[in-house]
């Protein structure tokens, strides 16, 4: 199935889902049509950065709800394991950080069971046998989340699809608390895209603007990773999913490489003055070169 057909199907499916009269039932209907099982859905989140200028004040807060066939009542445990990943290759863990039981669950606005989580950086540093002085820029505290149902079935990122983990379903199993400096790259920038893969491109560059959207902890997504190229090729649409880049103390690197269709992307990029040039392609066969312009100069270097 080509992506144009997928866009059309997704639009029709979206109309059906959001026309449901009872909003509390819509996630169950969506999930039930997609897969029998359960997953953790993100409601809201704060900044996950372990700020090296203020480690004691670094706390990651987030809220989730559990999606299953019984409004979350089938969830017996929500577990979080954490591993320290040093920028120098050193590791510690994994260790169990926390296990939440039904007595700790709340009822969300959607009528589902869920939980509010607060993770102080000092707590996980101590749990892993480290000191604050051990934590350096580029280090990461990687969390592996999972839920256990009353049947004993376990669900995590490993047995959840890219669709569940994508933007529409907001699946939230695994996440990181990277160590670094505060970052503020969120803004709207202009782009020019050329060398587009499809035959509909007639040599005229595609121009427009794209939003850099903060995900927390110095992690960012573009609002359209295809930078307008889906217009001439498919008649519209944007590229998203788990595609991300991260700034660590004014150094940027790409950190997420799978789009919402499950295709893997690769990037080559360079900086010249005000321009960040990204040459991208993916395993579906799409490719282009996009030049993103920052007024006043690109505020980072590439790692």
């Amino acid at each position: 199935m080509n992506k144009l057909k997928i866009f059309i199907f997704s639009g029709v499916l979206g109309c059906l889902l959001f026309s449901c009269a009872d909003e509390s039932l819509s996630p169950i209907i969506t999930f039930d049509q997609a897969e029998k099982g359960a997953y953790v859905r993100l409601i809201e989140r704060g900044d996950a950065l372990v700020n090296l200028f203020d480690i004691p004040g670094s706390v990651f807060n987030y809220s989730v709800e559990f999606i299953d066939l019984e409004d979350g009542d089938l969830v017996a445990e929500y577990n979080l394991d954490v591993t320290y990943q040093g920028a120098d290759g050193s590791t510690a863990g994994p260790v169990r950080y926390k296990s939440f039981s039904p007595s700790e669950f709340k009822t969300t606005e959607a009528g589902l069971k869920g939980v509010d989580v607060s993770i102080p950086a000092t707590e996980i540093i101590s749990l892993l046998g480290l000191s604050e002085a051990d934590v350096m820029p580029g280090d990461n505290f990687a969390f592996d989340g999972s839920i256990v149902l009353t049947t004993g079935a376990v669900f995590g990122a490993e047995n959840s699809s890219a669709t569940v983990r994508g933007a529409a379903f907001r699946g939230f199993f695994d996440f990181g608390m990277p160590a670094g400096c505060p970052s503020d790259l969120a803004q709207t920038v202009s782009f020019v895209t050329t060398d587009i893969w499809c035959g509909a491109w007639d040599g005229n560059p595609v121009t427009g603007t794209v939003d850099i959207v903060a995900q927390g902890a110095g992690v960012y997504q573009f609002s359209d990773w295809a930078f307008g190229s889906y217009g001439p090729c498919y008649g519209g649409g944007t590229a998203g999913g788990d595609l991300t880049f991260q700034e660590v103390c004014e150094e940027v690197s790409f950190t997420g490489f799978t789009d919402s269709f499950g295709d893997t992307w690769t990037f080559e990029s360079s900086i010249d003055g005000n321009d960040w040039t990204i040459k991208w392609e993916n395993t579906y066969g799409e490719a282009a070169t996009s030049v993103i312009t920052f007024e006043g100069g690109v505020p980072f270097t590439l790692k």
Side-chain angles (χ1 to χ4, degrees), residues 133-199:
D134 293 325
V135 183
M136 299 295 172
D139 291 358
N140 184 48
F141 296 91
F143 284 81
D144 182 357
S146 62
I147 50 177
V148 181
L149 302 190
T150 54
T151 62
V154 179
F155 292 92
E158 298 78 11
N159 58 350
S160 297
S161 69
T163 301
V164 166
R165 298 193 306 271
F169 284 77
R170 293 174 64 81
F172 194 71
F173 284 110
D174 296 353
F175 58 88
M177 289 181 63
C181 310
S183 177
D184 186 20
L185 297 180
Q187 59 189 288
T188 299
V189 291
S190 60
F191 65 81
V192 178
T193 299
T194 58
D195 303 327
I196 300 172
W197 78 97
C198 71

Side-chain angles (χ1 to χ4, degrees), residues 205-221:
V206 175
T207 62
T209 60
V210 67
D211 295 330
I212 299 176
V213 183
Q215 305 298 300
V219 177
Y220 297 90
Q221 291 184 325

Side-chain angles (χ1 to χ4, degrees), residues 44-267:
E44 60 181 355
R45 59 172 292 166
D47 192 348
L49 178 70
V50 178
N51 183 353
L52 295 176
F53 298 148
D54 183 19
I55 291 179
S58 300
V59 181
F60 180 34
N61 298 304
Y62 70 90
S63 298
V64 292
E65 57 190 2
F66 308 126
I67 310 298
D68 60 30
L69 296 177
E70 298 292 339
D71 295 347
D73 286 337
L74 297 180
V75 177
E77 293 178 12
Y78 172 45
N79 296 321
L80 291 172
D81 297 330
V82 61
T83 301
Y84 168 72
Q85 301 169 332
D88 60 359
S90 60
T91 61
V95 297
R96 175 61 48 88
Y97 170 65
K98 234 170 221 187
S99 181
F100 298 88
S101 65
S103 64
E104 299 170 275
F105 297 167
K106 66 173 187 176
T107 300
T108 69
E109 291 184 4
L112 308 174
K113 294 299 187 295
V115 67
D116 297 323
V117 182
S118 182
I119 307 176
T122 53
E123 196 170 272
I124 57 173
I125 290 171
S126 175
L127 178 66
L128 287 160
L130 305 170
S131 69
E132 292 184 19
D134 293 325
V135 183
M136 299 295 172
D139 291 358
N140 184 48
F141 296 91
F143 284 81
D144 182 357
S146 62
I147 50 177
V148 181
L149 302 190
T150 54
T151 62
V154 179
F155 292 92
E158 298 78 11
N159 58 350
S160 297
S161 69
T163 301
V164 166
R165 298 193 306 271
F169 284 77
R170 293 174 64 81
F172 194 71
F173 284 110
D174 296 353
F175 58 88
M177 289 181 63
C181 310
S183 177
D184 186 20
L185 297 180
Q187 59 189 288
T188 299
V189 291
S190 60
F191 65 81
V192 178
T193 299
T194 58
D195 303 327
I196 300 172
W197 78 97
C198 71
W201 180 55
D202 57 6
N204 293 319
V206 175
T207 62
T209 60
V210 67
D211 295 330
I212 299 176
V213 183
Q215 305 298 300
V219 177
Y220 297 90
Q221 291 184 325
F222 288 111
S223 56
D224 177 16
W225 282 84
F227 301 102
S229 62
Y230 282 7
C233 295
Y234 301 126
T238 59
D242 294 334
L243 304 171
T244 56
F245 69 88
Q246 182 175 14
E247 181 193 26
V248 177
C249 298
E250 299 186 346
E251 280 191 342
V252 160
S253 59
F254 295 99
T255 51
F257 304 94
T258 305
D259 67 17
S260 54
F261 299 98
D263 296 311
T264 301
W265 291 50
T266 56
F267 305 95

